């Protein structure tokens, strides 16, 4: 038997610890709905704020427009294909990334902006928004900046009429104001200004009708780059098709389209200049050589004619022709070698003089030579390193370690290239010398007369060399002139920029969606926050759940919708009310705890003050007295007595005076207005209520009262604050614990557990006070009629509560 008792006690404590550990860990949909309903005013406020904020954002945010253009990057030269020339500009397959890097560069963008009318920006300032006029300004300005501090500052302009006006601006915390005349220069310390009116009628409309203020800003290139560069977007659209999309965002749709168009136009012009630069370099070199060779040719021709006249030389045409052909062949080869030597010298000078080597230009100079291929690869490698360095310099400084590494590679590659050119030059020099020796040997063999014929053939040979060289240069010039003419930009504009009609921002639909979602999320977070931190008890269902139904439930007391009178006794005012029926149900449920005929003690307590234990004690006593039993109420809450207030009586003497034997118990008993219902007030507040309650005198008083009354109801102090009433609760036949809906905390249930397990008060029962029973229609189980026979009381409603409130009605 002892083992069974021990196991039972152990099981109860294990369940007790488990309840404490898992307290409040389960999600309760009913409670969530209840809290959501209470938060409806906040939810409505959130949605009003969210939608209102969306409207304000759409209404007063500056509109942003986007314009875009699509171009296709191509690298073709029609003339080169016709002439079957090598396309020396086809360096690699990286033309597309290089083109994008070029258009993205700030240097290129600076040149683009310089082509547009952006030096002076014109605006109108409204009540909430500013509007840029761009090319639609009704007046124009000419300005010469004297002090850089004025750059980017807003200068307001007011027109008195079409001839005079004034400007105002603030600089260095000082206000400035100057009067001006239109079409005349205004000289001030910061700038010289000339204002011209294009449309005075529009000026009047803007200033008077809409009450806007004109203002302008003077910009410089750095200011424009800082303002506009982040809005530019250039990216590859299709790598295989080599298409690029250029887009720009701005508050002015016309300006956005103009900037996109300027970027694409400037790129095509730059690309054309870059492609034709190689041919221009070759033509420049040929023109220089032509002028020199022409002078030599003319001089040699004059010398030959003069020599013929002076010496009357007449050589056989056949012999002269044969000898001249042979010598001409040797001279042609010598001329070719000399031409290639000159090209090598020019390339070497260019490499030594220039920091950035353009492989296209240098390879163009070598076009058609025998050694173009041998040093062409080295030139391309050198050119590639220079491009890599230039691209990295957009992101890093020249002192970066990677830049230093690439500079070292460039220097090494230049040395290798120069060494290769020197080696080729020596080979060509040796070839030239060999040809000269052959030419001299042929001349010595075929021209025996050391006199006139030899000199004549020498002059004729010199003339032939110059003529051949001149003809070669003319042919090359013709070819490269045709090639230069063939350099037409092959980039294709697939989609031209258009002036946007609809702004991309603010987007009305997205703004409303964001506002609604934000309101929804805020509402949800608020409800979740209140749910997570919600700690009030609302139903007997919660009490039974958190105690695993180990605590007896007597029932609920409905919330009294009117103001409770000072007497707190309600059951005699309207005996058929739902409140009176609730107390009858509790009276009936008490019989299930004990139903013998002996005098009983009911001890009523709670966790804290305000939960309604005095209200329950008075009305429970009244409803029991209605059944014909003699009932007395004792007020043992001597720290905060209320029974005397409930019966509207004096508190001169009572339990405190009886316990110290100052008054007899009969002297302290007072009669109420209800038959069979008496009460004893707490009496004057003593300094030691705990000692008085646990004194033997208390037991003697209870024993005496049992002989006179069928039921003793004791209003105990709250056990959550003091321990005065625990001893009385242990002695009671009906220990009752009061919880108040939407007031008592869930943690208060732990106090009931402690009384049940630690203080061994096994008969303790719970009454839930102040329950709003109308909420049951919203699906939240408040548990009235919960297994204790309260269900037959549905018809006992006050007249003012017969109508049910809707879900959105106020409590």
């Amino acid at each position: 038997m002892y083992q069974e008792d021990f196991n039972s006690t152990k099981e109860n404590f294990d369940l007790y610890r488990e309840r404490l550990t898992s307290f409040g860990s389960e999600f309760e949909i009913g409670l969530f709905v209840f809290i959501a309903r209470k938060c409806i005013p906040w939810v409505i406020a959130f949605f009003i704020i969210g939608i209102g904020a969306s409207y304000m954002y759409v209404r007063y945010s500056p509109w942003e427009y986007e314009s875009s253009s699509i171009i296709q990057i191509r690298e073709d030269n029609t003339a080169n294909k016709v002439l079957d020339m090598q396309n020396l500009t086809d360096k690699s397959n990286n033309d597309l990334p290089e083109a994008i890097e070029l258009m993205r560069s700030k240097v290129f963008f600076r040149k683009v902006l310089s082509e547009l009318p952006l030096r002076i920006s014109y605006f109108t300032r409204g009540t909430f928004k500013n509007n840029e006029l761009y090319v639609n300004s009704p007046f124009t300005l000419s300005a010469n900046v004297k002090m850089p501090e004025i750059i980017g500052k807003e200068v307001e302009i007011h027109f008195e009429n079409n001839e005079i006006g004034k400007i105002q601006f603030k600089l260095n915390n000082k206000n400035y104001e100057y009067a001006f005349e239109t079409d005349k220069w205004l000289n001030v310390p910061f700038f010289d200004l000339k204002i011209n009116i294009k449309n005075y009628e529009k000026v009047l409309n803007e200033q008077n009708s809409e009450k806007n203020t004109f203002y302008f800003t003077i910009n410089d290139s750095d200011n424009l780059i800082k303002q506009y560069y982040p809005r530019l977007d250039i990216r590859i659209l299709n790598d295989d098709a080599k298409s690029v999309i250029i887009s720009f965002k701005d508050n002015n749709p016309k300006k956005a389209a103009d900037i996109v168009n300027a970027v694409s136009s400037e790129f095509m012009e730059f690309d054309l200049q870059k492609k034709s630069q190689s041919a221009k370099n070759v033509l420049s070199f040929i023109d220089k050589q032509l002028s020199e060779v022409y002078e030599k040719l003319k001089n040699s021709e004059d010398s030959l004619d003069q020599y013929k006249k002076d010496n009357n030389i007449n050589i056989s045409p056949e012999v002269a022709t044969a000898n001249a052909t042979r010598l001409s062949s040797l001279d042609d080869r010598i001329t070719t070698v000399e031409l290639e030597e000159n090209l090598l010298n020019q390339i070497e000078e260019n490499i030594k003089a220039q920091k950035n080597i353009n492989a296209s230009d240098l390879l163009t100079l070598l076009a058609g030579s025998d050694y173009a291929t041998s040093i062409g690869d080295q030139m391309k490698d050198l050119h590639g390193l220079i491009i890599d360095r230039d691209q990295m310099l957009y992101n890093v400084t020249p002192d970066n370690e990677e830049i230093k590494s690439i500079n070292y590679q460039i220097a090494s590659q230049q040395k290798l290239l120069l060494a290769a050119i020197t080696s080729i030059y020596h080979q060509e020099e040796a070839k030239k010398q060999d040809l000269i020796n052959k030419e001299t040997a042929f001349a010595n063999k075929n021209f025996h007369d050391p006199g006139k014929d030899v000199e004549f053939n020498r002059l004729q040979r010199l003339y032939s060399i110059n003529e051949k060289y001149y003809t070669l240069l003319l042919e090359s010039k013709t070819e490269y002139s045709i090639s230069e003419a063939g350099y037409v930009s092959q980039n294709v504009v697939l989609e031209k920029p258009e002036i946007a009609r609809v702004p991309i921002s603010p987007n009305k639909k997205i703004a409303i969606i964001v506002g609604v979602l934000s309101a929804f999320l805020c509402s949800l977070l608020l409800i979740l926050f209140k749910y997570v931190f919600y700690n009030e008890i609302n139903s007997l269902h919660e009490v039974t759940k958190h105690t695993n139904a180990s605590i007896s439930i007597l029932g609920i007391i409905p919330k009294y919708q009117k103001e409770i009178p000072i007497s707190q006794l309600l059951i005699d005012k309207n005996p058929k009310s739902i409140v009176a029926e609730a107390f009858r149900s509790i009276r009936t449920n008490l019989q299930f705890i004990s139903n013998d005929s002996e005098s009983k003690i009911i001890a009523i307590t709670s966790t804290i003050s305000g939960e309604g234990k005095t209200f329950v004690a008075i009305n429970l006593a009244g409803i029991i007295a209605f059944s014909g039993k003699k009932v007395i109420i004792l007020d043992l809450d001597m720290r905060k007595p209320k029974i005397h207030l409930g019966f509207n009586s004096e508190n001169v003497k009572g339990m405190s005076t009886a316990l110290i034997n100052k008054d007899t118990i009969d002297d302290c008993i007072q009669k109420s207005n209800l038959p069979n219902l008496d009460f004893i007030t707490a009496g004057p507040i003593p300094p030691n209520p705990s000692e008085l309650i646990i004194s033997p005198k208390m037991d003697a008083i209870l024993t005496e009262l049992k002989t006179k009354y069928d039921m003793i109801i004791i209003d105990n102090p709250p056990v959550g604050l003091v321990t005065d009433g625990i001893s009385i609760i242990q002695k009671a036949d009906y220990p009752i614990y009061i919880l108040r809906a939407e007031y008592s905390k869930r943690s208060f249930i732990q106090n009931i557990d402690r009384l049940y397990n630690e203080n061994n008060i096994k008969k303790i029962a719970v009454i839930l006070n102040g329950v709003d029973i109308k909420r049951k229609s919203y699906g939240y189980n408040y548990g009235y009629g919960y297994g204790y026979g309260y269900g037959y009381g549905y018809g006992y409603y006050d007249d003012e509560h017969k109508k049910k409130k809707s879900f959105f009605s106020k409590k």
Side-chain angles (χ1 to χ4, degrees), residues 435-446:
L435 291 172
I436 292 174
N437 293 335
K438 289 181 179 180
E439 183 185 38
T440 303
F442 177 78
N444 292 334
K445 180 178 179 182
N446 292 281

Side-chain angles (χ1 to χ4, degrees), residues 395-425:
N395 302 317
V396 299
T397 62
D399 296 331
N400 187 272
E401 293 298 326
E402 293 186 10
I403 296 296
K404 291 180 180 180
S405 175
I406 291 182
N407 286 334
Y408 177 78
Q409 296 179 45
I410 290 174
S412 301
Q413 192 67 27
Q414 283 179 331
K415 291 179 181 179
L416 293 175
L417 185 58
L418 291 175
I421 292 174
T422 302
S423 176
I424 294 173
Y425 184 83

Side-chain angles (χ1 to χ4, degrees), residues 96-310:
L96 191 59
E98 290 181 11
I100 291 178
E101 289 301 323
L102 171 65
M103 287 186 283
R104 283 176 177 170
S105 67
K106 291 185 178 181
V107 176
F108 177 82
F109 193 58
R110 189 187 301 271
K111 192 173 188 310
V112 169
L113 296 180
S114 66
E115 303 295 329
L116 297 172
L118 296 174
R119 184 171 181 268
I120 298 177
S121 300
Y122 305 90
F123 301 89
T124 57
R125 180 184 288 113
T127 305
F128 297 101
K129 290 198 299 185
N130 298 337
N131 181 36
E132 184 177 4
L133 301 176
Y134 188 48
V135 293
N136 296 321
S137 174
F139 62 92
T140 58
L141 300 174
S142 299
N144 297 322
V145 176
K146 296 179 181 178
M147 300 178 66
E149 291 85 351
I150 199 63
I151 298 294
K153 297 297 181 181
E154 295 182 0
V155 181
E156 292 188 359
I157 180 168
H158 304 272
F159 294 94
E160 301 294 337
N161 51 50
N162 61 349
E163 295 182 353
I164 61 173
K166 63 181 179 179
I167 59 172
Q168 297 174 329
F169 58 92
K170 185 176 182 180
L171 191 62
N172 298 326
N173 296 323
K174 186 177 180 181
N175 295 319
Y176 296 90
E177 181 176 326
Y178 300 98
F180 67 86
E181 296 182 22
T182 59
D183 298 328
K184 292 184 180 180
W185 283 97
L186 171 66
N187 299 316
V188 297
F190 304 98
F191 50 70
D192 295 334
L193 196 66
K194 184 178 181 182
I195 302 173
N196 300 307
I197 296 181
K198 297 191 300 182
N199 189 340
Y200 185 65
E201 183 178 352
K202 186 176 181 180
V203 171
L204 290 179
N205 290 336
E206 291 286 347
Q207 285 193 163
N208 299 327
S209 300
E210 301 181 9
K211 297 182 180 180
N212 290 331
T213 301
F214 289 110
Y215 72 93
F216 65 89
T217 59
I218 302 175
N219 306 308
D220 60 2
S221 58
D222 294 335
N223 183 291
L224 292 174
I225 289 290
K226 183 179 179 181
Q227 181 179 0
Y228 293 135
Y229 185 76
R231 307 179 191 175
L232 179 68
D233 183 28
I234 301 174
R235 64 183 185 277
I236 297 176
L237 185 63
N238 190 316
D239 198 6
D240 295 332
K242 292 191 175 182
S243 57
V244 176
I245 183 170
I246 306 168
S247 60
F248 187 81
K249 299 177 183 177
D250 195 78
N251 302 126
N252 189 289
K254 179 69 168 62
K255 181 168 64 176
D258 286 352
I259 290 179
V260 171
N261 186 62
V263 170
S264 58
S265 300
E266 187 67 27
F267 171 72
M268 289 186 175
E269 182 180 350
F270 177 84
D271 185 61
L272 181 60
Q273 293 177 356
K274 178 182 176 183
K275 290 177 179 178
S276 61
Q277 187 64 40
S278 298
K280 288 180 180 179
N281 290 341
V282 174
L283 288 173
S284 176
F285 171 76
I286 291 176
D287 288 338
K288 181 180 178 181
Q289 294 295 317
L290 276 174
S291 63
E292 295 178 358
V293 173
Y294 177 77
E295 291 296 327
K296 292 180 181 180
L297 179 61
K298 187 176 182 302
N299 292 334
S300 63
E301 183 180 11
D302 293 341
S303 299
L304 182 60
D305 291 342
Q306 186 64 38
Y307 189 82
K308 285 181 179 181
K309 293 177 182 179
D310 294 343

